Structure formats: C-alpha cells, structure tokens
Amino acid sequence: MTVLCLVELDGTGAADASLRALTFAREVAAPGDQLAAAVFGEAGVLAGGAQAGEALAAYGVTDAYVIEPGQLAGYAPLAWARVLAGLASQTGADAVLAAGTDRGSEVMAHLGALTGQPMAANCVSAARSAPGSDGAGMWQIVRQRWAGLLLEDAVLEASPALATVATDTVAPTPAGAPATLTVHAHPPELADGDLAVRATESVTRSGGVSLATARVVVGGGRGVGGPDGFAPLEELAKLLGGVVGVSRVVTSEGWRPHKQQVGQTGTKITPELYLACGISGAIQHIAGCASAKHIVAVNSDAAAPILSHAEYAVIGDLHKVIPALVDAIKARGRSA
Ligand SMILES: Cc1cc2nc3c(=O)[nH]c(=O)nc-3n(C[C@H](O)[C@H](O)[C@H](O)COP(=O)(O)OP(=O)(O)OC[C@H]3O[C@@H](n4cnc5c(N)ncnc54)[C@H](O)[C@@H]3O)c2cc1C
C-alpha cells in the first residue's frame, strides 16, 4: 500500500505544516507501505542536497513526485487535486493526506469532489481497521470538531481515504533513519477548466517567517486601538525574531490583513511564545493559539478570559508595557 501526502513548500524548503503531515502519514503507514509525496515546485527543489529533498528523505519519504511550475504555474486548487487523483491511482494509494492548511484543506476538498470520496478534515489520528475484521477497508479516525474544542471518533469508509491533518497536534518528527528518496518528474494531466482558478503571484513575506511556523508571535487585538498602534508590536516581534498575529476584530476593522489573523477562522499557531496584547481571549481566538508552548498576556483587565490560558500576565496598558519591553530588550542588547 502507499500513503500519499501533499507537501507544500515554504520558500524552497518543505513547509513545517507538511513535515507534521508527513509525521502523521508515517504513523498511518503500515510496515512495508510506501510513503510518497506530491510536491508542486521547481525540479531543483528536491535535487541532491536541496533542503526540501533532504527533509523528505529524513521524514521517510521514498518516492517524491514533482510537478514543475512550467507545466502548472502558480497555485490552482482544482488542478492540484486532479494531479493528486492521478497520482493516487498511479501509486495505488489507499490514503491521501495533506496538512490542514488553507491550501491543503482546499485541495483535499476538491479531491473529495473529484473522486466522490468523503474527506475527513483535521484528523489527529487514523488507523486502518484490521484485515479480516468486520470493518475491513475502513479507517478509524479521531478528528477535531469545533476548532479543536471537541474530538470526534469516526469511521471513514473510503478508498482511498482522504484526510487533512490537524497539524497543531503533531510535532514534526523525522524518521529514525532517512529513507532513500527517488524523485520522479510528474507531468500533470489536466481537464478543461482546471486552471480557471489560479493564483499566479503571492506577496513575499519580508522576514521569511510565516505566522504558522514562527517561534515567537506577538499578538495584537482591539486593545491596540487602531492600525497605527501596531508599530511597537512590530518592533518587538522583530527584536524577538518573530511575527505579528492579530485577532479577528483587528482584521474585521481593516487594521491588518486577514493572513495575520490567529484563530478558528484564521491561522493556527504553534510558537514557543505567544505574547497576546490587548486580546480578550475569545474561544475562537484560543482555538488558534492553544498549542503555543507559553502564552503571556498583556491586558488592562485583570478578569479578561485570556488570563486563564496564560502562564504569565502583565495587567496594564499595552501602550506603556510594550514600548518599555522594547526599550529593555534594546538596552540589554547594548550592554551585552
Ligand atoms: C464563527 C466565529 C469565528 C471567529 N473566528 C475568530 C478567529 O479566528 N480569531 C479571533 O481572534 N476571533 C474570532 N472570532 C471573534 C471572537 O469571538 C472575538 O470577537 C475576537 O477574538 C475578539 O477580539 P479581541 O480580543 O481583539 O477584542 P475584544 O474582545 O474587544 O478584547 C479587547 C481586549 O483588549 C483589552 N484592552 C483594551 N485596551 C487595552 C490596553 N490599552 N492595554 C491592554 N489591554 C487592553 C481589553 O481588556 C480586552 O480584553 C470569531 C467569532 C465567530 C462568531
């Protein structure tokens, strides 16, 4: 059997979310199964010594299928799904997985529609039912519902099984020993209309760190007061080697773009440190930051719900606390 996993790229490396999905895929695969990856990118991205190629081998991938941009430029969800459908049948995959990212979820939903199979979103575990048992050919899955507030036990009857991985529940873990990776150039076979929706350009991130994978996230909510209030948070994030994330109020008000939103309808983050400034801690926000290793809150309200999730809190005005923190870090840098 083959377990096929969509691997997204972050620059020229494999995205952290995809490494988590590969870790999950390896757990799903039975001994002797092949772990295959589909990668949309330049051929060189997996060439000998390339970061993404080494990562795939380290995570146990034996066969990587590269779909080059010359043949399929940009991000086209339906076309990507068509390619995955072709690869699934070519490799005889009985499971096709992707990280539960925006792209992973969208492509897998299209794949479900194309193949007529159900797709299980946000899985935290999946196991084939034992051969010969009543449930042979079925998958026992556990998946997140309500943005991770509930776990659902479910049975998935599908061939191949289609699932996205709740990546905030899986730590990226390389295999014990790297696999020998064979890279195949895979020419896509598309149908009319597959490229009707296609993103050909995306804005390059300035620091190269994404919200989903940042080690430090400085969060700003309504308490920041407006678009101009984010400058000290940006400065602090830069000093700490992190990025700014925001609450939905902030994006709804148009103070910051949606791609910076943390939460149920935004990005799920898994940083070492989440510094939540002027954020009340609504359940939909916590759904996106609960996997942070340490949460520190800065809030003027000692009864704000975020405090029950935070390890430490500063009760005070963020407009005073954050500049003071920035000054303290700079002073420490000067004296070091
Ligand atoms: C279906 C659905 C999906 C949603 N998805 C998301 C999501 O993905 N992400 C998300 O964030 N929200 C989401 N929401 C919205 C969520 O319910 C809250 O409305 C939102 O998170 C509140 O944002 P906030 O904490 O910035 O604002 P508020 O709740 O207004 O909190 C502002 C906080 O700032 C503090 N404060 C004010 N001034 C200062 C100051 N000077 N210094 C320090 N602290 C100060 C206040 O004490 C308060 O705690 C969703 C809602 C729904 C219904």
Side-chain angles (χ1 to χ4, degrees):
M1 295 289 187
T2 296
V3 176
L4 174 65
C5 187
L6 170 65
V7 171
E8 296 175 53
L9 297 175
D10 193 355
T12 54
D16 175 76
S18 292
L19 296 180
R20 292 166 189 260
L22 282 175
T23 304
F24 182 98
R26 225 180 41 242
E27 283 163 14
V28 162
D33 280 357
Q34 298 260 314
L35 182 54
V39 182
F40 293 81
E42 303 284 351
V45 85
L46 297 182
Q51 196 188 346
E54 289 199 345
L56 262 54
Y59 277 75
V61 175
T62 51
D63 292 272
Y65 297 86
V66 182
I67 302 91
E68 291 189 62
Q71 293 160 307
L72 180 45
Y75 166 62
L78 181 52
W80 283 30
R82 182 88 56 195
V83 170
L84 284 185
L87 275 174
S89 79
Q90 180 183 323
T91 58
D94 73 337
V96 184
L97 306 174
T101 55
D102 289 349
R103 287 188 177 189
S105 304
E106 186 175 27
V107 171
M108 293 301 289
H110 276 294
L111 182 57
L114 279 180
T115 56
Q117 299 292 334
M119 192 276 273
N122 299 319
C123 293
V124 302
S125 74
R128 293 183 185 95
S129 298
S133 69
D134 285 351
M138 295 183 186
W139 293 78
Q140 309 293 327
I141 59 166
V142 180
R143 63 177 183 146
Q144 291 182 345
R145 303 302 302 259
W146 289 19
L149 298 175
L150 287 180
L151 289 179
E152 177 189 76
D153 286 312
V155 173
L156 181 64
E157 188 173 5
S159 182
L162 310 180
T164 61
V165 179
T167 45
D168 55 324
T169 64
V170 184
T173 314
T180 304
L181 178 70
T182 306
V183 179
H184 312 263
H186 183 73
E189 284 180 23
L190 302 181
D192 285 351
D194 281 357
L195 295 175
V197 174
R198 182 153 66 111
T200 52
E201 252 182 88
S202 60
V203 181
T204 315
R205 286 187 303 273
S206 49
V209 182
S210 78
L211 180 58
T213 61
R215 221 176 43 82
V216 175
V217 176
V218 178
R222 194 200 302 271
V224 173
D228 299 338
F230 281 89
L233 275 70
E234 287 283 4
E235 193 175 6
L236 179 59
K238 201 167 165 201
L239 284 170
L240 297 174
V243 297
V244 166
V246 302
S247 72
R248 182 156 118 174
V249 165
V250 169
T251 57
S252 304
E253 291 289 332
W255 298 350
R256 306 292 289 200
H258 178 263
K259 67 176 184 193
Q260 291 188 334
Q261 184 179 314
V262 171
Q264 178 183 338
T265 47
T267 300
K268 289 193 172 183
I269 59 172
T270 53
E272 292 282 320
L273 171 66
Y274 182 45
L275 186 62
C277 311
I279 292 176
S280 60
I283 204 158
Q284 297 90 352
H285 188 82
I286 298 300
C289 65
S291 297
K293 209 160 182 185
H294 306 285
I295 298 179
V296 176
V298 179
N299 202 299
S300 50
D301 177 5
I306 187 85
L307 300 192
S308 60
H309 301 276
E311 238 168 284
Y312 296 97
V314 181
I315 307 303
D317 180 355
L318 70 91
H319 301 294
K320 292 182 183 153
V321 175
I322 301 303
L325 194 51
V326 166
D327 287 347
I329 293 172
K330 284 182 176 170
R332 206 169 125 179
R334 279 195 296 272
S335 65

